[in-house]
Amino acid sequence: FAGRDVSDHPRWRRRELMIVACDTSPRYFKPIVGEYIDPKIPDVLCKVWRGWVEWGGWEGIVLKSAGPYRVSVMRIKARHDVDYVCTGFEMGEGRKIKSVIGSMFINGELVECVRAAGLSDFEKREIYRERKARTGQVFRVLAHAVSEKGTARHPVFNGWHADKPAA
């Protein structure tokens, strides 16, 4: 805190110092310094999620256990499910696909927005065999965030839409 190591201070004092630091920080750097949340009350966590992540644009929530012997941390991040039109493939080694190239219609034009990786070895081989037939089909991507221009942050391929046309 202010250039000093406060790790040897009691927890209550470190928390006070964190609140002071957060109150003097810009909004984009303010973590939630919450009270103890009873695990029997999931409503509180839902309200925090809606208020900070869904409406506030924050990336997610970090939960930390306060056990005396071992510290466990859980990160809960927002995920977005986005559809793209397959306009090509990035080739990997051998007869495997490295990523699926996805585009979106923006102002009537098909614009490349994503290279979705995260394919299993089975999917890489299967898509390689079917790559000509898959071009032009719609596929799903899971991402941490999506920009206004349709680009996805940390995009992961999540399957094909057999029921959705590209146009």
Side-chain angles (χ1 to χ4, degrees):
F1 180 76
R4 294 177 314 188
D5 181 8
V6 294
S7 61
D8 61 336
H9 286 57
R11 187 171 154 241
W12 64 268
R13 179 67 181 139
R14 291 193 316 262
R15 184 175 186 284
E16 282 181 349
L17 292 171
M18 176 61 82
I19 290 171
V20 169
C22 290
D23 287 343
T24 59
S25 296
R27 171 157 185 339
Y28 61 83
F29 189 67
K30 290 189 185 214
I32 302 169
V33 182
E35 298 296 324
Y36 169 75
I37 298 174
D38 186 336
K40 297 175 188 166
I41 309 175
D43 293 354
V44 174
L45 189 56
C46 288
K47 287 177 185 174
V48 170
W49 181 266
R50 278 193 301 276
W52 288 88
V53 179
E54 288 180 10
W55 299 331
W58 287 59
E59 188 174 296
I61 297 174
V62 177
L63 302 174
K64 179 180 155 190
S65 71
Y69 302 110
R70 189 175 67 178
V71 175
S72 297
V73 176
M74 178 186 349
R75 291 186 177 107
I76 306 170
K77 293 187 174 190
R79 298 291 290 223
H80 301 271
D81 192 356
V82 189
D83 293 340
Y84 294 97
V85 177
C86 175
T87 52
F89 305 94
E90 185 177 357
M91 301 307 291
E93 293 181 24
R95 293 179 174 227
K96 291 182 183 176
I97 299 295
K98 183 176 179 183
S99 64
V100 181
I101 300 171
S103 301
M104 289 182 123
F105 285 101
I106 299 174
N107 297 327
E109 289 187 43
L110 202 55
V111 178
E112 183 181 317
C113 299
V114 70
R115 289 177 183 252
L119 301 158
S120 69
D121 282 340
F122 174 78
E123 288 172 320
K124 289 175 184 180
R125 286 189 300 272
E126 180 183 310
I127 293 171
Y128 179 83
R129 283 192 301 271
E130 301 174 349
R131 64 190 182 278
K132 288 182 183 174
R134 292 292 186 186
T135 303
Q137 288 189 344
V138 177
F139 67 97
R140 288 182 307 277
V141 165
L142 286 179
H144 288 296
V146 180
S147 74
E148 292 178 9
K149 294 181 180 180
T151 57
R153 184 169 168 228
H154 304 297
V156 176
F157 179 83
N158 194 34
W160 299 97
H161 272 299
D163 58 336
K164 264 189 182 177

